[in-house]
Amino acid sequence: MLTPVIQEEKTGCGIAASAAIAGLTYSQAKKVANQLGIDAADKTLWSSTTSVRCLLTALDKKVADETVPFTGWDAQPDCALLAVKWHLEQGVPFWHWVVFARDGTQAYVLDSKQGLKTHVRTDFGRMHPKWFLAVSST
């Protein structure tokens, strides 16, 4: 089972999700992100897939080149970044990154949002992903 990583910045969900997938702490992933020129305050971290894909690649993870529309939980790969809370702001899409993981028959979502009671979620009916990026080890 992957370990949840809590985002330390309001806009650090992409860094936290990457850290959880790579088995790192938030500060370790943030250090790598900053070395790549990626900062949590940069809106492209949650309005484009480029930054999080670059970070995961630097953390030795293979990330799909293209997003795949979400069609259901059973259709998810064993590890994926999901775009939830997808919305438009002045015509620009924004979302919150979460991690979907499946270990054998157990599926769960890691949500890095600070205020949650639990960061391992199985309340799939309450989450409404727009699309996902498959992630695997290189």
Side-chain angles (χ1 to χ4, degrees):
M1 178 178 237
L2 295 178
T3 302
V5 174
I6 312 312
Q7 62 193 74
E8 296 178 5
E9 298 155 288
K10 183 179 179 185
T11 56
C13 58
I15 294 171
S18 299
I21 290 170
L24 300 175
T25 65
Y26 186 88
S27 60
Q28 289 170 322
K30 181 179 175 178
K31 182 177 180 180
V32 174
N34 291 162
Q35 291 170 345
L36 296 168
I38 300 166
D39 185 87
D42 183 356
K43 288 185 175 185
T44 61
L45 189 57
W46 30 279
S47 65
S48 166
T49 64
T50 304
S51 294
V52 77
R53 289 177 59 247
C54 180
L55 176 55
L56 281 164
T57 299
L59 297 174
D60 292 325
K61 299 298 175 185
K62 184 177 179 181
V63 187
D65 292 331
E66 300 293 327
T67 62
V68 177
F70 180 85
T71 58
W73 296 104
D74 291 337
Q76 293 300 290
D78 288 343
C79 185
L81 280 173
L82 295 175
V84 298
K85 298 181 182 176
W86 191 96
H87 63 284
L88 292 173
E89 290 181 16
Q90 298 178 347
V92 178
F94 288 92
W95 55 84
H96 175 63
W97 288 114
V98 297
V99 177
F100 174 85
R102 183 181 297 109
D103 294 325
T105 60
Q106 182 184 10
Y108 54 93
V109 168
L110 300 179
D111 192 332
S112 64
K113 185 178 176 185
Q114 288 180 346
L116 297 175
K117 288 183 180 181
T118 180
H119 299 280
V120 179
R121 299 181 59 183
T122 56
D123 57 333
F124 300 118
R126 296 191 61 182
M127 294 177 274
H128 305 286
K130 177 87 169 168
W131 44 259
F132 69 91
L133 286 169
V135 181
S136 60
S137 296
T138 55

